[in-house]
Every structure is written in structure tokens, then in C-alpha cells.
Amino acid sequence: MARKRNQKKGNKKTFGARDDTRAKRSWSELIKENEKWETYYKTLNIIPEEEWARFKETCQSPLPLTFRVTGSRKHAHEVLKLFQEKHLPNLTNVEFEGQILKPPMELPWYPNHLAWQLDVPKTVIRKNEQFAKTQRYLVVENAVGNISRQEAVSMIPPIVLEVEPHHTVLDMCAAPGSKTAQLIEALHKDTDEPTGFVVANDADAKRSHMLVHQLKRLNSANLMVVNHDAQFFPRIKLHTDAEKKKEMLKFDRILCDVPCSGDGTMRKNVNVWKDWNTQGGLGLHTVQLNILNRGLNLLKSGGRLVYSTCSMNPIENEAVVAEALRKWGSKIKLVNCDDKLVGLVRSKGISNWPVLDRNMAVKNKGDEGTIESWFPPTEEEREIFHLDSCIRVYPHQQNTGGFFITVFEKIEDEVEQAKRLANELEESSPTPSAKKLKTENGAAAEVQQEPVKKERLPRDANEEPFVFVDPNHESLKVCWDFYGIDSKFDKTTCLVRNATGEPTRTVYTVCPTLRDIIQANDDRLKIIYSGVKLFVAQRSDIECSWRIQSESLPIMKHHMKSPRIVNANLDMLKELLIESFPTFEDVEAKHLDDEFVKKMHDLSSGCAFVEIERGEDKESLFLPVWKGAKCVNLMVSKEDTHELLYRIYGIETTAKDNSKIQKKQVATGTAESTETVDSKETSTDA
């Protein structure tokens, strides 16, 4: 969600559990009642009277656990199949304290059966053996980016945005990043090297860095994280070329998941119950409208924009949409999604609503202190706007949070668009508006939003620059030759993040389009993160002092033709996953893969790669290893090791280390494959 809130960090004992212990206690201590909230929504009459009791009761209960499998990964079907075959049967007809628990349920509207819901309390997940095993499975798969914990309704906006691999995409209010992750997955659908990219923005610097942590798991060179107020998001130059410098980036797809009062999240954010009042929506309305209008300005003709909130309040939803339709007229239209998301229970958008102030008094258009755009459209406008094309999802309809989604399409003529942009000041800003902030006691306060400043703020002392490295730099030339990297890989996309511009410890790579944007917009974009690690410095006493980082292998494996890529069988991989630095002598004695041992032994010391073919219906593996003078070691993280052991060999692990005797038992087959062991903590990618 885009709603801003304070959180404290702590240990997560359950997959997806909240890390605010006070919030956990509040579920039992706080009375989940709010008279103004109940009066307001009964006055709106958006929930049928016969459904009200169930609606309120659902809002008062905790959310179920929901997750989705990363659809862009080639092994997504394996991860899903493992859950369906190894876990789902054991979670069906489970009895806990005398009650039969609900089995996991597939979200019917999510594509390709990849999203699931576990409607059981977290206490059950911790205490029941079968659910605890599933919990461990989810934790490991989440750590390596194969699945994501995400609220069900939060999955809807990226789906209806319909991102394709060639699209330029902007997520205007991206933190904490679950929807952004979906956008990146869609971009990488069917390709490791899409031509499009995602720009993920958040106004809060701390949340921007949290966004990076969430998205790094996906290892995409087609992502850039920036830190700007979405109301004033800057225009982005496409080129450094002086003749083309006036060409500005227009996005094919834009997600405006705007800050909101958040009463759709009251099932997990208990403070909404005590803090909610009508002023929250009234105060945020103009900010939301400014963000939407800025998004529509940045949208390409023929492009699609999704406006969404985690609020059920029409002042933040249909009122914002209606005002955008007034402003833009025939240049935009709403997209009806009735034929999308088959299986999703939803309600249509509304065209009439009362406006109530903080004292719950009804206000009329023209009253002192009101804004015209708060009020519902006229009869004539209703016929034109088609606000029933908006999507409303209420908590009781399928045991979710509350959400609002609207899909816009821009149909402005390109010539007309160019003319308008020529007259638009580059640093134009929306009318200063009231922006809602949190005071120390948690109450809502309003401050006047200052106009955007024209001069660029000086770079923060802790803010590292993005400096591109000459592909003919001696350090890079050694890497191109050593790893046999072909000419199809764009070698001008390598960058470092230090003021000297010299490759010292780490070299990153970005997609070619982002390279141009980073170079052309140093004076206007506050870039927090972009690129994946390509080369990392290692020992200097060997032939190549750089190793290829595992997070860039999805790209680089398509561009390497080198004897340093050695085929191995599954027995050999299992040995490498379980044993730390096995010697060639020991491996050779086991006769697991004599050809692998011979080829690997003949290589010079340094980074190399192991490729494992697993059959036509399964993804082949491409993993980095360290080849020493007398031994070889698989260079993947502990989390990746655990995931591979379980997915490929059915070996369960724990977070704690166990003795090497157990590891050797599993390796030699003297222990059951389902016995709990813990793999070595292999060399990690720093």
C-alpha cells in the first residue's frame, strides 16, 4: 500500500508477520469500533443492509496469509508444483484443538494458479507441524525471490495494468514494493533481457531504501529506484545528445497507488480504528488528484494508467477520478475491466455520495471551506464519465482487505500532445495543496505544500554517484576475454558507484535504455538504486581478479562462450550443495561425475560456472563456483542452497546449523532424504 506509517523493526517469527509487536498486542487489547466510520459508510449505503454485519465483522478480524509465486521465473511451475504436491495434501483436513482448519485456497482470479491464501491464525502456523513445514518452505522461497508475501487485493492493480516486456513503466508511489515486484515480473515475462524498464519512485527517502531491499531479490537490470514527491515528478530526458535533449520520456504504463486514509487496511493496521475520521479523505483528496494529473501528463498517448487506493472512501476514489475526467475531457477514458480477473468478486464504482466534514455535518457545494471536486458529478457528467467502470473490492466479499482500482487509457493525439508539451514549463508544478502529515501523537495535520524548487539539491554526502566505465578499461577488457563474453552484450552499460569512476570493488550493469536516462538526468533525478552487480573484485594473484556476481547470471549466461562453463550431473550438484570446498581428490574418489572433475581440474584458479541440464520440462541450472588449486566450491547464498536442496532433492533444512555427520549421511544416502539437515553456509555474494 502507499499509505505512510511508522514501523519498528523486529524479528519476524512467521512468514509475513507484522514486525510491530505493539500492533500485535493491539489486536487483543484494542476495541475495533469507530462510530464515525460506521455512520459514514452506512450513510454512503455502498454495503447492502443485509451484508453490513458480515462486512463489519470481517473488517474486525485479522487478514489471512496470502502469497504468490514469481511468475517470471522459469521454475515457477516447479515451485508451485512443490507446494501443491508436498504441502497442500498435508494441509487439508487438518485438525487443531478440536477444529478442522480451512485448507489453503487458490485465488481464482490470479493468472496461472500462482496466488494462494492460507486462512488460518498465525498461532496455528507456528504450532501445527504441517503448517510449520509450509511456513519454512515459504520463508526459504521468499528469501530467494521465488515467492512474495502480498495482500490479495494489492495484487490487482499490476494485473490490470497489463505490462509487457517492451514497456516503459512508472510506479509513482512504490514503497514498500510488492506491486513494483509484480511489474518487474511482468516485464521479464518470457525474457531475461526485456527492452523496457520500471522506474520505482517514493517520496520518502527511508521507504525508498526499503523498496530497494524488497526488489533486489528479483535481480533485474531494468529497474531504477528514485526519490521524488510524486506530485512534482520531474520530466525525464531520453538522450544526452544535444540535438535530442528536448525529447522527454513518456511512459507506456503508470501505476498511481496513492497515499490514502487507508481504511481498507484496518484488518492489519489497527490504528485506523481509533484514528479514522472523514477529514483524512478530505485532506488527502487534492494530493491524490495532483499525483493522478502528474501521472496523466507523463503517460504516453495510447498508454494505460491505474489509479488505486486502499481506501473505500469515494472522496479519495471516484471524486478524484471524476475531476481528472473533467480536466482531461476526451483525451482520456476509463477502461472497463468486467471481463478481466475472472473469479474476483467486486462491486462497481459509484456516482453519488454525500460530503461530510470532520464533525459529520453534511456539506453542500459552495459551502465555506469546501473544494468543488469533493462533490459527485452532475447527471450529465454521470452519463459521460462511466464511473461504474471503477472497481471496488470490499473485505467481506472474499475475505480480503478493501481496495479501489480504476484503469485509465490516454487517447490524446500525438500532435496535440506535442503542442501542449511545448507550452508546458519544464518545472511546472501543481497548485500548492494541503499535504497530510503525522504529528507526534498520530493525529492528522495539514501543511501547505511548497512549490517544487527549480535548482537541484546538492548531492547528499552519503549518496553515491552513478559513473559509467569505458568498456575498453583494462579491468573490463580482462573480464571480456577471460569469460568469453560476446559482442551481443552491450559493454557500455557497466557502471561504478564511486566518485573516482574507477572499478575498484564492484561493477554494475543496467539495461541500455536506463544507461541513457541515468547519464542524461544527473541534474534532475535523485537515483537511489539501479543495476545489478556484474563483477566483484576477488584475489589479485590469479588470471582474472574479478568474478561474475550470481545476480547478473540470468543475463550473462546468454553471452558467455567459455571453457569455464562446465557441465555437471545432479549427483555432482548435490555434493557441491552439501560439502564446503570438497577437494578434487575426494570428489574423484566418489565417481560422481568424472568428466566434470577432469574439466574443472584443468581450469586456472578463479570464478567458473557449473551448468546442469535437468530435462525438457525442467529449468536447467547455471551457478557460479570457485575453482581453487585443489578444491571447488559452489558460490551461492545459504538461502539459495536450502532452496535448491529442497526443490531438487527433497532435503528439508532448518535455519540452524547441524553437524557435518548429518550432511554426509544425506550425501551418502545413509539417512532419509526427508531428514532435517542444514547445509553449509556457502560463499556468499558480497
Side-chain angles (χ1 to χ4, degrees):
M1 307 288 173
R3 187 171 180 264
K4 192 173 176 180
R5 58 185 180 273
N6 294 324
Q7 291 183 325
K8 287 189 176 182
K9 293 184 177 179
N11 294 324
K12 292 188 178 181
K13 295 186 178 179
T14 345
F15 176 70
R18 292 186 304 279
D19 55 9
D20 190 336
T21 55
R22 291 181 303 172
K24 290 179 183 177
R25 291 198 304 271
S26 296
W27 273 110
S28 59
E29 296 170 2
L30 184 71
I31 298 174
K32 291 177 275 296
E33 295 282 352
N34 185 305
E35 185 179 351
K36 288 184 177 180
W37 174 82
E38 187 160 349
T39 300
Y40 182 68
Y41 281 105
K42 283 185 173 179
T43 302
L44 284 178
N45 199 31
I46 56 176
I47 307 296
E49 186 177 350
E50 65 274 13
E51 296 180 22
W52 178 264
R54 187 159 58 92
F55 165 70
K56 182 180 177 182
E57 183 182 356
T58 305
C59 290
Q60 292 171 322
S61 63
L63 272 173
L65 186 154
T66 47
F67 69 92
R68 57 182 177 77
V69 179
T70 302
S72 60
R73 298 279 172 96
K74 290 182 175 62
H75 52 268
H77 73 282
E78 276 190 74
V79 176
L80 175 62
K81 187 177 180 182
L82 200 59
F83 174 74
Q84 291 174 318
E85 294 183 355
K86 291 286 187 71
H87 294 272
L88 190 57
N90 295 326
L91 303 181
T92 304
N93 297 320
V94 175
E95 185 175 326
F96 183 76
E97 296 182 350
Q99 290 187 335
I100 299 295
L101 301 174
K102 291 182 180 179
M105 178 189 75
E106 178 188 335
L107 299 183
W109 45 267
Y110 196 90
N112 302 318
H113 316 286
L114 293 176
W116 291 76
Q117 177 171 308
L118 274 67
D119 191 8
V120 295
K122 290 184 174 66
T123 52
V124 173
I125 294 176
R126 295 189 192 104
K127 294 180 181 180
N128 179 274
E129 182 182 355
Q130 295 302 328
F131 276 95
K133 286 185 177 181
T134 300
Q135 153 78 3
R136 170 63 181 163
Y137 164 76
L138 295 177
V139 166
V140 172
E141 296 295 347
N142 179 72
V144 300
N146 285 342
I147 66 167
S148 293
R149 159 76 169 93
Q150 185 176 357
E151 192 176 340
V153 287
S154 174
M155 303 176 192
I156 299 171
I159 296 175
V160 294
L161 199 57
E162 297 184 348
V163 171
E164 297 291 337
H166 62 279
H167 283 154
T168 55
V169 186
L170 171 63
D171 190 347
M172 298 189 76
C173 309
S178 56
K179 299 182 195 69
T180 320
Q182 272 183 277
L183 301 177
I184 295 170
E185 290 169 29
L187 199 72
H188 285 269
K189 180 177 60 180
D190 302 324
T191 177
D192 291 319
E193 298 179 83
T195 54
F197 57 83
V198 174
V199 176
N201 174 67
D202 202 84
D204 185 274
K206 289 184 179 179
R207 285 166 63 87
S208 297
H209 287 281
M210 179 172 64
L211 187 61
V212 173
H213 178 74
Q214 166 83 321
L215 300 176
K216 281 177 70 174
R217 300 175 307 140
L218 299 179
N219 299 335
S220 175
N222 301 68
L223 166 69
M224 180 166 67
V225 177
V226 297
N227 174 212
H228 293 276
D229 187 329
Q231 297 178 91
F232 317 119
F233 193 86
R235 292 171 65 196
I236 297 175
K237 292 185 287 187
L238 278 170
H239 306 284
T240 54
D241 190 327
E243 294 181 6
K244 298 180 179 179
K245 67 179 181 180
K246 291 184 179 180
E247 287 188 46
M248 295 293 173
L249 173 63
K250 289 299 199 182
F251 292 93
D252 297 293
R253 297 289 187 267
I254 296 179
L255 177 58
C256 290
D257 186 51
V258 298
C260 66
S261 59
D263 57 12
T265 71
M266 61 202 323
R267 298 184 67 181
K268 63 177 182 179
N269 299 321
V270 291
N271 287 335
V272 175
W273 283 101
K274 65 183 181 66
D275 294 339
W276 190 94
N277 62 65
T278 55
Q279 187 59 38
L282 297 172
L284 282 165
H285 171 87
T286 305
V287 174
Q288 294 163 337
L289 182 57
N290 284 344
I291 295 173
L292 174 56
N293 277 321
R294 190 59 186 150
L296 289 168
N297 268 303
L298 296 167
L299 187 64
K300 186 182 293 184
S301 182
R304 176 172 287 203
L305 179 148
V306 169
Y307 174 84
S308 62
T309 74
C310 48
S311 169
M312 297 175 282
N313 189 344
I315 304 296
E316 304 175 68
N317 297 329
E318 286 91 348
V320 174
V321 171
E323 184 62 14
L325 291 167
R326 288 187 193 101
K327 173 182 171 63
W328 289 84
S330 61
K331 296 172 183 176
I332 60 172
K333 69 175 182 180
L334 300 189
V335 178
N336 186 289
C337 294
D338 287 350
D339 60 337
K340 307 291 184 183
L341 303 162
V342 177
L344 177 72
V345 183
R346 70 195 94 178
S347 297
K348 294 182 179 295
I350 61 177
S351 295
N352 195 27
W353 56 86
V355 176
L356 279 64
D357 67 12
R358 67 168 68 244
N359 299 314
M360 304 303 289
V362 176
K363 309 298 288 186
N364 296 306
K365 190 178 289 188
D367 285 354
E368 184 180 355
T370 63
I371 298 173
E372 284 198 16
S373 56
W374 287 347
F375 295 88
T378 64
E379 288 289 345
E380 183 181 358
E381 287 176 328
R382 291 176 197 175
E383 294 294 321
I384 300 170
F385 290 171
H386 299 293
L387 292 177
D388 58 347
S389 293
C390 302
I391 300 172
R392 286 179 156 266
V393 180
Y394 298 123
H396 69 294
Q397 291 176 317
Q398 55 234 303
N399 195 17
T400 65
F403 226 78
F404 175 85
I405 309 101
T406 301
V407 183
F408 288 89
E409 184 179 318
K410 194 170 188 180
I411 49 180
E412 183 180 12
D413 179 76
E414 289 286 1
V415 176
E416 186 181 5
Q417 184 186 65
K419 187 184 298 183
R420 178 176 57 79
L421 289 174
N423 296 325
E424 185 185 76
L425 290 175
E426 191 168 311
E427 286 80 20
S428 63
S429 62
T431 304
S433 62
K435 185 173 181 180
K436 186 180 177 187
L437 299 177
K438 284 283 185 179
T439 58
E440 288 183 5
N441 61 8
E446 290 183 11
V447 296
Q448 197 69 12
Q449 178 67 47
E450 294 295 329
V452 65
K453 292 180 171 60
K454 292 185 178 181
E455 71 276 8
R456 187 188 189 278
L457 293 175
R459 190 182 296 277
D460 185 273
N462 296 321
E463 187 182 341
E464 296 175 324
F466 289 74
V467 183
F468 285 86
V469 183
D470 186 333
N472 293 315
H473 190 287
E474 192 58 39
S475 293
L476 295 186
K477 284 176 65 178
V478 170
C479 294
W480 308 142
D481 295 337
F482 185 74
Y483 293 112
I485 297 174
D486 63 29
S487 59
K488 292 180 181 179
F489 176 72
D490 191 337
K491 298 180 176 67
T492 66
T493 59
C494 296
L495 64 91
V496 294
R497 301 219 49 195
N498 62 66
T500 67
E502 286 293 313
T504 54
R505 294 186 60 187
T506 306
V507 177
Y508 301 81
T509 182
V510 297
C511 70
T513 316
L514 280 182
R515 172 203 58 207
D516 297 340
I517 287 172
I518 292 170
Q519 289 179 318
N521 294 276
D522 182 61
D523 60 338
R524 62 177 64 201
L525 279 180
K526 185 176 180 182
I527 304 172
I528 302 297
Y529 171 86
S530 191
V532 293
K533 290 180 181 178
L534 175 57
F535 300 126
V536 176
Q538 55 187 15
R539 287 166 42 188
S540 59
D541 60 341
I542 54 177
E543 186 178 351
C544 179
S545 60
W546 297 86
R547 63 181 171 92
I548 293 184
Q549 188 76 354
S550 61
E551 63 191 70
S552 64
L553 284 183
I555 300 170
M556 301 312 296
K557 67 183 181 182
H558 301 295
H559 298 287
M560 286 193 288
K561 294 180 180 178
S562 169
R564 303 197 72 79
I565 302 172
V566 181
N567 291 323
N569 61 31
L570 288 171
D571 290 334
M572 189 66 242
L573 175 62
K574 186 176 180 181
E575 177 78 4
L576 294 174
L577 286 167
I578 292 172
E579 290 297 332
S580 299
F581 297 94
T583 65
F584 289 115
E585 184 179 355
D586 287 344
V587 175
E588 193 171 18
K590 295 179 181 180
H591 297 290
L592 299 172
D593 192 332
D594 294 339
E595 187 67 17
F596 168 84
V597 175
K598 181 179 184 303
K599 288 184 177 180
M600 188 62 67
H601 189 276
D602 291 341
L603 294 178
S604 61
S605 294
C607 180
F609 308 92
V610 56
E611 187 166 24
I612 301 98
E613 296 292 341
R614 302 175 55 219
E616 293 182 4
D617 61 333
K618 293 183 178 179
E619 177 202 25
S620 61
L621 299 175
F622 194 89
L623 304 169
V625 295
W626 175 261
K627 192 274 173 180
K630 296 181 179 180
C631 64
V632 62
N633 190 55
L634 192 65
M635 293 194 296
V636 296
S637 68
K638 179 178 179 179
E639 292 76 16
D640 279 310
T641 300
H642 290 180
E643 196 277 332
L644 289 168
L645 281 171
Y646 185 65
R647 176 158 58 91
I648 297 173
Y649 304 102
I651 299 174
E652 296 179 3
T653 62
T654 69
K656 296 180 180 179
D657 291 337
N658 287 320
S659 71
K660 284 210 172 190
I661 295 175
Q662 287 177 300
K663 298 175 197 173
K664 289 181 182 294
Q665 285 177 336
V666 175
T668 57
T670 57
E672 295 295 329
S673 64
T674 55
E675 181 179 348
T676 300
V677 300
D678 187 70
S679 166
K680 62 183 170 61
E681 190 161 355
T682 50
S683 301
T684 56
D685 294 323

